[in-house]
């Protein structure tokens, strides 16, 4: 009998499993393995501090972010007082799973099938090695099995209605040509690449992640990525991997079934709007789910599973609302995207944006800067500012 079975071994599930095991609980981690999520791989310094991630896990340190408008104008934003770390999920996820196992987690490799409550609660899965069904008896379940969560759809009301952005990227060999900067991330706001999200070029040391996302199911993601590679001079680089997956657009209103299941990470919808950032928020959600499970196991109250969502939203709800408002305001048309890139030229915007990114909270140290940004934002949205930046 396990105290908790965690389904899904990405950053969220591995974090939840490790936290619970270090707290003395008997934990199983069920993961399919072999699947690599399309991901730009950016992690902020706060993640490295909060989750004890060493620089040996980084493939690159990003010191500049380039925002590119539909007309090709761009602004380079320096990462002041630090860097953005880049990881490859191919290596990062196995590292986190191995660390969880070292903490005492029992690992199983297979595919989640269902929850069976005929004789207590059991997680039924298909073992990858044998192809046979097996079962893990448990007191609680954490569903950390991605945006298209089987656990969520089976157990948590409303989980099947979560809206998605469909993301696709190609991992390519890094070019040696002039103009490519291995310490710069490029974010391309162009309706020809994505009508409602963005494209990206993120360095990973010897490789590069090139991709895009969209909520529009009529868009050919692979063709759009081909266009993006051509547009950024990366068409001739060797393609090493191709990956695609849905990315949720907003947190679910409910994360638990009121009995013995709680969702976390992409399964609960915690990907930042506008930016699509997910690794940090997935790991925070995994930690919150572990805390909720620990409370439930201690008190015996199933209502304590609600703590997972409460803990997460208490700290990050405002940031998510601000980012969602920005996405709704600026991602609607190329005209709006042009104005967004123009707004990014502003030094106050640049500083507060990266302060918020690095620290994962809205910085209130300079109220006048916030007021100025609000006024500039209104001016750009209403067209009072002309597009004269170069």
């Amino acid at each position: 009998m396990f105290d908790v079975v965690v389904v899904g071994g990405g950053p969220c599930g591995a974090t939840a499993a490790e936290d619970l095991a270090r707290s003395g609980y008997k934990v199983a981690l069920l993961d399919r393995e072999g699947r690599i999520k399309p991901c730009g791989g950016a992690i902020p310094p706060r993640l490295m501090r909060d989750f004890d991630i060493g620089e040996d896990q980084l493939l690159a340190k990003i010191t500049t972010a380039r925002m590119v408008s539909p007309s090709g104008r761009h602004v380079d934003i320096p990462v002041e007082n630090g860097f953005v770390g880049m990881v490859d999920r191919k290596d990062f996820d196995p590292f986190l799973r191995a660390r969880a196992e070292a903490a005492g987690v029992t690992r199983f490799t297979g595919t989640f099938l269902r929850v069976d409550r005929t004789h207590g609660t059991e997680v039924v899965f298909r073992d990858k090695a044998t192809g046979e069904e097996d079962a893990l008896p448990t007191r609680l379940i954490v569903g950390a099995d991605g945006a298209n969560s089987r656990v969520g759809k089976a157990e948590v009301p409303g989980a099947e209605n979560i809206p998605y952005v469909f993301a696709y990227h190609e991992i390519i060999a890094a070019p040696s040509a002039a103009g490519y900067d291995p310490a710069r991330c490029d974010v391309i706001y162009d309706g020809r690449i994505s009508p409602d999200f963005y494209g990206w070029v993120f360095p990973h040391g010897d490789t590069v992640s090139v991709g895009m996302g969209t909520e529009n199911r009529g868009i050919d993601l692979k063709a759009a990525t081909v266009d993006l590679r051509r547009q950024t001079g990366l068409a001739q680089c060797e393609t090493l991997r191709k990956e695609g997956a849905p990315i949720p657009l907003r947190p679910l209103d409910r994360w638990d079934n009121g009995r013995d299941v709680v969702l976390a990470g992409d399964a609960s919808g915690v990907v930042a709007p506008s930016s699509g950032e997910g690794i940090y928020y997935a790991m925070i959600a995994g930690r919150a789910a572990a805390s909720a499970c620990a409370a439930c196991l201690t008190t015996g109250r199933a209502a304590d599973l609600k703590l997972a969502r409460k803990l997460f939203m208490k700290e990050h709800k405002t940031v998510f609302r601000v980012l969602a408002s920005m996405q709704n305001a600026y991602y609607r048309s190329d005209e709006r995207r042009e104005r967004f890139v123009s707004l990014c030229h502003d030094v106050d915007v640049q500083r507060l944006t990266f302060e918020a990114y690095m620290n994962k909270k809205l910085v209130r140290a300079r109220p006048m800067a916030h007021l100025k940004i609000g006024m500039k934002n209104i001016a750009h949205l209403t067209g009072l500012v002309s597009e004269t930046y170069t």
Side-chain angles (χ1 to χ4, degrees):
M1 170 67 73
F2 290 98
D3 293 311
V4 183
V5 171
V6 179
V7 180
C12 175
T15 298
E18 181 184 357
D19 278 10
L20 285 163
R22 292 192 184 280
S23 297
Y25 295 103
K26 188 176 181 181
V27 183
L29 178 61
L30 173 64
D31 186 66
R32 289 187 297 174
E33 290 196 354
R35 176 187 175 276
I36 307 169
K37 181 185 175 183
C39 179
I43 62 172
R46 180 172 171 181
L47 181 151
M48 299 177 70
R49 294 193 302 269
D50 289 355
F51 297 97
D52 192 25
I53 302 299
E55 291 193 12
D56 59 315
Q57 292 300 313
L58 302 182
L59 300 174
K61 292 182 178 180
I62 300 303
T63 56
T64 304
R66 170 169 289 184
M67 308 298 184
V68 183
S69 78
S71 66
R73 296 180 306 112
H74 69 263
V75 54
D76 288 349
I77 304 176
V79 182
E80 295 185 352
N81 304 316
F83 61 87
V84 177
M86 303 301 294
V87 299
D88 190 328
R89 296 287 295 275
K90 172 180 68 67
D91 306 310
F92 189 61
D93 291 17
F95 160 76
L96 294 175
R97 289 193 289 269
R99 191 167 72 170
E101 187 173 22
V105 172
T106 304
R107 290 176 58 183
F108 296 86
T109 303
T111 302
F112 170 84
L113 297 177
R114 61 188 179 276
V115 177
D116 190 330
R117 296 187 178 87
T118 305
H119 305 289
T121 300
E122 293 184 327
V123 171
V124 181
F125 70 101
R126 188 172 304 283
D127 186 272
K128 184 176 181 179
T130 66
E132 301 294 326
E133 286 193 12
D134 203 347
L136 303 173
T138 186
R139 297 171 67 186
L140 297 175
I141 301 164
V142 174
D145 52 334
N148 205 16
S149 170
R150 291 187 177 186
V151 176
K153 290 180 178 179
E155 295 291 329
V156 178
E160 71 280 3
N161 298 322
I162 189 169
Y164 304 117
V165 161
F166 292 87
Y168 172 81
H169 80 158
E170 297 178 359
I171 298 294
I172 64 174
S176 57
Y180 171 73
D181 185 347
R184 188 190 75 216
C185 281
D186 291 3
V187 184
I188 297 89
Y189 298 99
D190 187 339
R192 293 167 297 181
I193 300 300
S194 172
D196 52 5
F197 209 56
Y198 63 81
W200 68 82
V201 178
F202 286 180
H204 287 173
D206 293 336
T207 63
V208 185
S209 166
V210 185
M212 52 79 66
T214 179
E215 193 179 356
N216 188 332
R217 299 198 180 196
I219 300 298
D220 187 330
L221 279 70
K222 293 183 179 180
T225 303
V226 168
D227 291 341
L228 175 59
R229 288 181 61 173
R230 185 183 303 114
Q231 177 179 316
T232 53
L234 301 172
Q236 303 305 315
C237 295
E238 179 186 3
T239 302
L240 305 175
R241 300 197 319 262
K242 299 179 180 181
E243 295 145 3
I247 297 175
L249 283 176
R250 64 173 178 81
L252 289 172
D253 296 329
R254 179 174 179 177
W255 292 13
D256 69 283
N257 68 350
R259 182 176 182 178
D260 53 12
V261 175
V262 61
L263 304 180
D266 280 14
S268 60
V270 293
V271 172
S274 179
S275 69
E277 181 190 358
I279 298 177
Y280 173 78
Y281 293 110
M283 295 177 75
I284 286 291
R287 179 153 288 174
S291 297
C293 287
C296 180
L297 291 167
T298 300
T299 65
R301 296 192 301 257
D304 285 342
L305 294 176
K306 297 184 184 300
L307 284 172
R309 190 179 190 280
K310 290 179 180 179
L311 289 170
F312 183 92
M313 298 303 285
K314 181 180 180 180
E315 184 169 359
H316 301 290
K317 176 174 65 177
T318 301
V319 170
F320 272 48
R321 284 181 175 175
V322 169
L323 291 175
S325 296
M326 188 176 76
Q327 180 173 335
N328 291 334
Y330 284 110
Y331 288 16
R332 293 163 50 186
S333 68
D334 275 353
E335 180 184 2
R336 292 287 183 93
R337 283 183 273 266
E338 288 283 351
R339 296 189 178 280
F340 174 68
V341 173
S342 293
L343 183 64
C344 289
H345 280 79
D346 188 273
V347 173
D348 287 324
V349 171
Q350 295 178 12
R351 288 176 176 169
L352 288 179
T353 295
F354 271 102
E355 285 177 5
Y357 174 81
M358 305 285 265
N359 298 298
K360 285 294 169 278
K361 60 184 177 181
L362 296 179
V363 180
R364 305 184 185 279
R366 297 196 301 275
M368 286 307 296
H370 283 280
L371 178 61
K372 287 168 59 182
I373 288 173
M375 297 301 293
K376 292 170 185 175
N377 187 44
I378 293 172
H380 280 278
L381 283 174
T382 57
L384 295 176
V385 176
S386 62
E387 307 302 320
T388 58
Y389 293 106
T390 58

